Structure formats: structure tokens, C-alpha cells
Amino acid sequence: MQGLREMLWARNLNAGAKPGRIATPRERSAMADQATAAFLGLAIGDALGATVEFMTPREIRQEFGVHCEIVGGGWLRLKPGQVTDDTTMSLALGEAILAEGRVDARAAAEAFDAWMRAKPVDIGNTVRRNLITYRKTGNPEAPASEHDAGNGAAMRILPVALATLGQGREVLATACRAQGHVTHHNILSDAACIALAGMVQDFVRGKSVEDVERANAAPLVAVHPVFDYTVKPRDNPSGFVVETIQAVLQALFATETFEDCVVDVVNRGGDADTTGAIAGMLAGARYGLDAIPVRWLRRLDRGVAESCRLQAEALLTLSAKGPAPERIRGD
Ligand code: MN
Ligand code: MN
């Protein structure tokens, strides 16, 4: 890890800096810390939430009181610290981005296809259907569908956010659509992916929570009012990306620690591994590594934790090489 970090500094990386200004080592080190916390937060939220996936808040209260320990189980009968598709698809995507040196739809489709062949513990219906279509057609862009508004593309957006850090909103949006459309070619999914990735980037660049909300969540709701998360509490969020985002943003903006945010969202039940993963990603980016409870870090599957750390650093390094928009395919 130390070697990678020194490499990051030595290359005078400028992701996150204003144009014409190189990020200082202190800024680089803060960004690497928050990017790593985002990836570990994603995996921790997934591992914690999976225990109560598809339960209602009332059922969770009856069984756990407040669910706040990584104990495995759930309908997938996981080992404590084991993660699900939210984390493993993110890692598969991150690996493809690093291998290609850019966000590439075909490389992402191949990576997801290989991931599906390896028999993951869980897989979304839309992901499965459109990967099977990809096998037949070879087209890494799924057909557009107003029904494919699940959270399956949003839950794996993190490596795209890190790989395009500091490269501008246009590059970010293009890359989000390229990876998202492999399985979810849908306007609400796109909007959610772009907002989430923008939030991660802004947190990693040190923006305040108020600024992050104003620059990402507010425009999302302005363009697609269905996402409005301020009206009523979203309990039991389904896999519909709108409900997922509402639960996550409510938990993120109503709490002031990593732990409170993730505990809040998974105790809402429903698609709790995915809301946990997305909330953990945002809270990790917001609060940094020191804010993640050590008892959760210790429980997380060791191989997964190591992959999260390595990918976070390597994706930041890649982002500093600058955009390659002409080489982003599939948009
Ligand atoms: Mn899952
Ligand atoms: Mn899920």
C-alpha cells in the first residue's frame, strides 16, 4: 500500500485540483483516504445490509432490535463479512477499467459476463437478462427500456466515479452511461448513476455535505421530480432505483457519522444490501477511513477488503492521467 501511495505522490497527480494547479501531497493523501473509505464502505454496507435484505423494518426490529453488526445470514445464508453482487460487480468493473486504462462498455460487458459465469451468490433479473442478450448479440449496450429502472447499474458505479475524478462532468456522464447501459439502458438509472458518482467525486474532493447536495441531489430532483427525497420517509425501499436513492439520501443527510448513516438505511429493510452499499460508499467518501468502525472493518472478508483498497488507489492513479473521452465506447 505504501508503495502505491508514494507512487501517487511522485506522479504529481492533479485530480481534484483546479485547472492549472497541482494537488498537494496532503490533498492527494486525503483523496486516497476518502476513495478507499468509499470502496470499503460499499462492501461493509453490502455485508451488513444483506442480513436483512427483503425484511420489513418491523421484522428487523423484532429479530435484531437495531441491526448493526456484520453477522452474515439473511436469505442468502452468507458468512459474516461476505459480500454480494453489489460489491463483486463493482470489483469486476473496476478490474476491467484498470485493464483497459479507461471506462469501456465492451470490457465492462465481458467482465460482467465472466462474473455471471462464476456463479455469484446473487444476481438481479435485469442484469441476468441483459447479459444473456449480450452473449447473443455481442452488443454491449442493452436495448433502451423504461422498465429497466432497477438499481443494478447504480450499485456498481463507484469505480467509474474514481476513474474519472477531476475530468469534468461530461466525461463522468459519458462513462456512467457506457457502464450503466450494459445492463440498464434507462433514463432514471442514468440520472441516479450520474448523481451518485458526482457526489462521490465531490466528497473525495473535500466539498461540504451542503455543497454536495446542492450540486448533485438538487439537480437530480429538479430534472426528475420523481426522485424527491424530502417528502416522506422511504421505508422498505424496493430495487426500483428511485426508492433506493430516496432511502440512501434520507439516511445520508439525516446523520452525521458513517455508522449512523449505514445503520439508518439498512434498518429500513427492503433492498437493504444495495441501499447499505450505496450509503456506505457515500458515507465513506464523506467521512474517510477513520470514521469506519473498526469492528466492521475486521469482519469484512479479507480478500474483498484488500481488493477494495488496491482498486481505490489504482483508479485514482488512473484518473490523474486525464480523460480519454474519444476512447470511451458504447455511448
Ligand atoms: Mn446484492
Ligand atoms: Mn440487493
Side-chain angles (χ1 to χ4, degrees):
M1 293 310 293
Q2 196 51 44
L4 254 177
R5 186 160 281 149
E6 277 160 14
M7 221 170 71
L8 280 164
W9 294 6
R11 294 170 77 116
N12 272 338
L13 304 180
N14 64 358
K18 295 203 171 68
R21 191 178 144 269
I22 303 295
T24 64
R26 184 192 291 267
E27 286 165 344
R28 281 302 312 170
S29 144
M31 287 195 283
D33 178 290
Q34 284 164 269
T36 303
F39 228 132
L40 289 168
L42 175 85
I44 283 171
D46 184 5
L48 181 74
T51 304
V52 294
E53 189 183 20
F54 302 135
M55 292 172 71
T56 65
R58 173 197 286 266
E59 287 167 345
I60 296 170
R61 268 196 303 277
Q62 280 167 354
E63 190 167 337
F64 298 96
V66 175
H67 173 55
C68 61
E69 300 301 332
I70 297 178
V71 292
W75 73 281
L76 293 170
R77 300 171 187 274
L78 299 174
K79 297 186 208 92
Q82 192 179 353
V83 296
T84 75
D85 56 349
D86 311 75
T87 305
T88 55
M89 281 199 101
S90 297
L91 288 169
L93 176 60
E95 228 175 270
I97 293 170
L98 290 167
E100 288 294 306
R102 63 184 184 277
V103 179
D104 178 89
R106 184 169 308 279
E110 283 299 316
F112 297 150
D113 191 21
W115 167 86
M116 184 163 72
R117 284 180 202 281
K119 301 215 184 305
V121 287
D122 62 339
I123 180 167
N125 292 329
T126 307
V127 168
R128 182 192 282 110
R129 170 166 42 80
N130 281 321
L131 287 179
I132 288 170
T133 302
Y134 167 69
R135 281 182 192 170
K136 289 183 194 140
T137 64
N139 181 355
E141 182 171 57
S145 166
E146 62 176 301
H147 303 294
D148 290 354
N151 55 26
M155 74 187 190
R156 59 175 195 242
I157 202 64
L158 178 59
V160 171
L162 299 182
T164 61
L165 186 71
Q167 298 178 2
R169 290 292 155 133
E170 209 49 50
V171 171
L172 171 70
T174 303
C176 280
R177 285 190 287 266
Q179 92 76 18
H181 290 186
V182 176
T183 56
H184 293 66
H185 190 164
N186 177 277
I187 195 166
L188 294 176
S189 170
D190 289 350
C193 287
I194 292 165
L196 289 174
M199 292 178 78
V200 168
Q201 292 192 344
D202 285 351
F203 277 132
V204 168
R205 288 150 65 105
K207 298 254 173 75
S208 72
V209 67
E210 292 80 15
D211 285 348
V212 171
E213 184 173 18
R214 203 174 306 129
N216 301 281
L220 172 68
V221 174
V223 177
H224 301 286
V226 66
F227 280 100
D228 191 357
Y229 52 93
T230 61
V231 179
K232 75 173 182 60
R234 174 60 70 191
D235 271 345
N236 225 4
S238 69
F240 178 33
V241 71
V242 167
E243 297 190 9
T244 304
I245 294 288
Q246 287 172 330
V248 165
L249 294 185
Q250 286 172 6
L252 180 73
F253 296 137
T255 53
E256 288 176 355
T257 68
F258 177 90
E259 180 169 356
D260 287 350
C261 174
V262 177
V263 168
D264 176 322
V265 88
V266 300
N267 281 275
R268 293 166 187 247
D271 196 359
D273 62 327
T274 303
T275 59
I278 297 174
M281 166 185 81
L282 294 174
R286 177 177 175 184
Y287 299 111
L289 269 179
D290 286 348
I292 301 181
V294 172
R295 71 181 199 282
W296 286 353
L297 278 171
R298 289 212 180 106
R299 269 293 168 91
L300 185 60
D301 179 277
R302 291 186 74 162
V304 167
E306 188 58 15
S307 297
C308 291
R309 288 178 182 275
L310 288 171
Q311 282 205 11
E313 297 262 8
L315 289 163
L316 271 196
T317 303
L318 177 64
S319 76
K321 291 182 178 166
E326 76 288 352
R327 299 161 76 195
I328 296 171
R329 279 183 257 151
D331 190 63

